[in-house]
Amino acid sequence: MSLAAESPSPSPSMSSLSDSDDFADLLAAELELADSASHGDPSASPASDDEEEEDVAVEIDAVEQGSTKRRRVEERHQDQRTAVMPDEDVIGSFKDAQIKICPPHPGFFGGLCIKCGKDQDEEDVPGVAFGYIHKGLSLDTSEMDRLRGSEVKNLLRKRKLVLILDLDHTLINSTRFHDISPAEMDLGIQTVASKDVPNKSMFNLQGIHMLTKLRPFVRKFLEEASNMFEMYIYTMGDKAYAIEIAKLLDPGNIYFGSKVISNSDCTQRHQKGLDVVLGAESTAVILDDTEHVWQKHKENLILMERYHYFASSCRQFGFSDKSLSELMQDERESDGALATILHVLKRVHESFFDSVGYLHYIHGYFYHSLLSSPCVQ
């Protein structure tokens, strides 16, 4: 089912999550469980939890706000090899235990399987990298599907969908120092951006040699949208830039946390994709000013009116008129692009969670989950 087609333009860990928990908590909890019990009778597992923890422990810190769950991971291969090497039977038994648990490996963290602790070999399928969640983390397709299923249940319980937000020309507009126009220089735009004043909307980012202007209404937009959506930033800019802009938009780190995706996280050159978003495609809404980067997900896309504040942005898209910065003007907050799109998002949310549509989706989702369960053949 496609969400946009109907819109304009639990696992044991789930019950323990509070409303303030976010996806990093979910991921940490899910990886900690390692779903060994979901693949058979726990008594059939040849290795106890203590044995698995001594084999390998991988620390995955939940970097989202309010996160208290963490799994300590330390490598103890050397000690373990020393303990078992004198006894070949023990070695054989240990290898058999690993084979029964994996492969296939659900994913790797720091070169170790997140389930059995085995070192990643050349023949092991690496899966999709999720470095924006934690450096060195990659997940197999089946594990991604499992985590997405858990995330869907978590979000639906909180009556939330997934919102993917582009940065440039959607939420902000940026210009490099060397692209500042003579008219902007005469107006002292860099000086204005450097002033430390309350509720400022223009910033001088000396570290990356750029000026950034927040789109009018963006702070209110994020505040209200966060009540309806789990939000991601997804930009074709580089990681350092994405992180700097995320700090401007979310200084309290309450909206995005680690959910900041940049060009280095994309799995296809010059294309954005939901394959690196641990949220179900059927519950995702995308806000972006560029359609062609979402070739596989056009039905989820709401195309944004571009925000051109700086002169370099107008030149880039072939506009000869003076920029908003040169005119010392801006979009209006009350009826600008973000205020308008917020009303659209509210209608999307209401439409999805209405009594008929919501129940239809729940029925379809769990029916599909039942058919895809390994218990149903």
Side-chain angles (χ1 to χ4, degrees):
M1 169 182 171
S2 170
L3 174 65
E6 298 187 4
S7 306
S9 185
S11 64
S13 62
M14 298 305 301
S15 60
S16 64
L17 294 176
S18 68
D19 287 340
S20 62
D21 288 331
D22 46 33
F23 181 71
D25 292 328
L26 170 66
L27 179 61
E30 289 289 336
L31 293 180
E32 186 174 356
L33 283 179
D35 84 335
S36 59
S38 68
H39 293 283
D41 187 346
S43 63
S45 176
S48 68
D49 290 342
D50 291 339
E51 288 172 335
E52 289 184 14
E53 289 178 3
E54 289 186 3
D55 173 45
V56 61
V58 180
E59 181 172 306
I60 296 180
D61 288 335
V63 295
E64 309 284 346
Q65 178 183 356
S67 173
T68 57
K69 300 181 180 69
R70 66 176 56 185
R71 188 183 180 194
R72 298 206 53 189
V73 189
E74 296 174 353
E75 205 172 325
R76 299 184 182 175
H77 284 290
Q78 190 60 44
D79 292 342
Q80 193 166 52
R81 288 193 188 103
T82 302
V84 302
M85 279 182 65
D87 190 338
E88 293 184 2
D89 291 337
V90 174
I91 296 175
S93 176
F94 179 73
K95 288 182 178 178
D96 289 342
Q98 284 193 323
I99 291 172
K100 289 179 182 179
I101 297 174
C102 294
H105 301 287
F108 294 92
F109 179 77
L112 300 175
C113 175
I114 60 177
K115 186 173 182 182
C116 70
K118 176 183 174 294
D119 287 313
Q120 185 174 2
D121 296 329
E122 291 184 4
E123 64 270 17
D124 291 327
V125 178
V128 177
F130 285 86
Y132 70 91
I133 295 178
H134 206 297
K135 185 177 180 180
L137 175 66
S138 63
L139 297 175
D140 175 72
T141 302
S142 59
E143 183 67 3
M144 288 159 53
D145 290 342
R146 189 179 70 85
L147 288 171
R148 284 191 177 111
S150 295
E151 175 71 342
V152 166
K153 288 184 283 186
N154 184 38
L155 290 179
L156 294 183
R157 178 175 58 85
K158 296 189 290 186
R159 294 182 66 84
K160 283 190 173 185
L161 301 174
V162 176
L163 181 61
I164 314 298
L165 296 166
D166 173 52
L167 291 180
D168 294 289
H169 304 110
T170 297
L171 299 183
I172 54 102
N173 191 208
S174 295
T175 186
R176 295 180 177 87
F177 288 166
H178 64 260
D179 289 329
I180 295 174
S181 71
E184 289 172 327
M185 291 290 289
D186 291 342
L187 290 170
I189 197 169
Q190 279 188 270
T191 302
V192 173
S194 301
K195 289 182 178 180
D196 186 13
V197 296
N199 301 317
K200 64 186 294 186
S201 63
M202 188 159 56
F203 299 84
N204 189 333
L205 304 178
Q206 289 283 354
I208 55 177
H209 308 289
M210 300 187 80
L211 297 183
T212 291
K213 173 69 171 61
L214 304 187
R215 196 167 198 166
F217 195 71
V218 67
R219 297 195 188 280
K220 185 65 174 177
F221 171 85
L222 292 175
E223 178 186 351
E224 295 201 25
S226 68
N227 295 322
M228 302 179 288
F229 297 89
E230 187 80 5
M231 299 189 297
Y232 289 73
I233 284 175
Y234 201 147
T235 177
M236 293 300 267
D238 62 29
K239 179 65 70 177
Y241 174 70
I243 291 174
E244 283 298 317
I245 302 303
K247 290 177 183 177
L248 300 182
L249 294 170
D250 185 17
N253 198 31
I254 58 178
Y255 301 135
F256 303 112
S258 68
K259 299 188 293 297
V260 179
I261 305 171
S262 64
N263 56 11
S264 60
D265 302 304
C266 298
T267 58
Q268 186 176 349
R269 187 173 175 81
H270 303 311
Q271 282 291 303
K272 297 179 179 181
L274 295 178
D275 53 345
V276 293
V277 176
L278 284 174
E281 180 179 359
S282 54
T283 63
V285 180
I286 302 166
L287 294 187
D288 203 315
D289 69 289
T290 306
E291 182 179 13
H292 68 80
V293 297
W294 291 103
Q295 290 295 327
K296 295 181 179 180
H297 308 287
K298 289 183 178 180
E299 291 187 346
N300 299 75
L301 175 66
I302 298 177
L303 198 61
M304 289 290 296
E305 177 185 349
R306 286 195 174 105
Y307 181 48
H308 299 292
Y309 182 77
F310 295 108
S312 62
S313 181
C314 293
R315 292 196 303 269
Q316 178 186 351
F317 288 88
F319 299 127
S320 57
D321 295 337
K322 284 188 175 183
S323 66
L324 291 172
S325 61
E326 293 170 327
L327 294 171
M328 300 183 69
Q329 297 177 1
D330 209 344
E331 289 183 354
R332 292 188 302 190
E333 293 219 359
S334 59
D335 58 358
L338 287 179
T340 300
I341 210 66
L342 181 61
H343 290 301
V344 174
L345 292 178
K346 287 180 178 179
R347 293 200 300 270
V348 169
H349 185 269
E350 290 171 1
S351 175
F352 185 90
F353 286 104
D354 70 9
S355 58
V356 177
Y358 176 54
L359 290 176
H360 175 75
Y361 179 83
I362 291 292
H363 173 76
Y365 171 75
F366 284 108
Y367 179 70
H368 174 75
S369 299
L370 178 63
L371 290 182
S372 61
S373 169
C375 297
V376 180
Q377 300 295 337

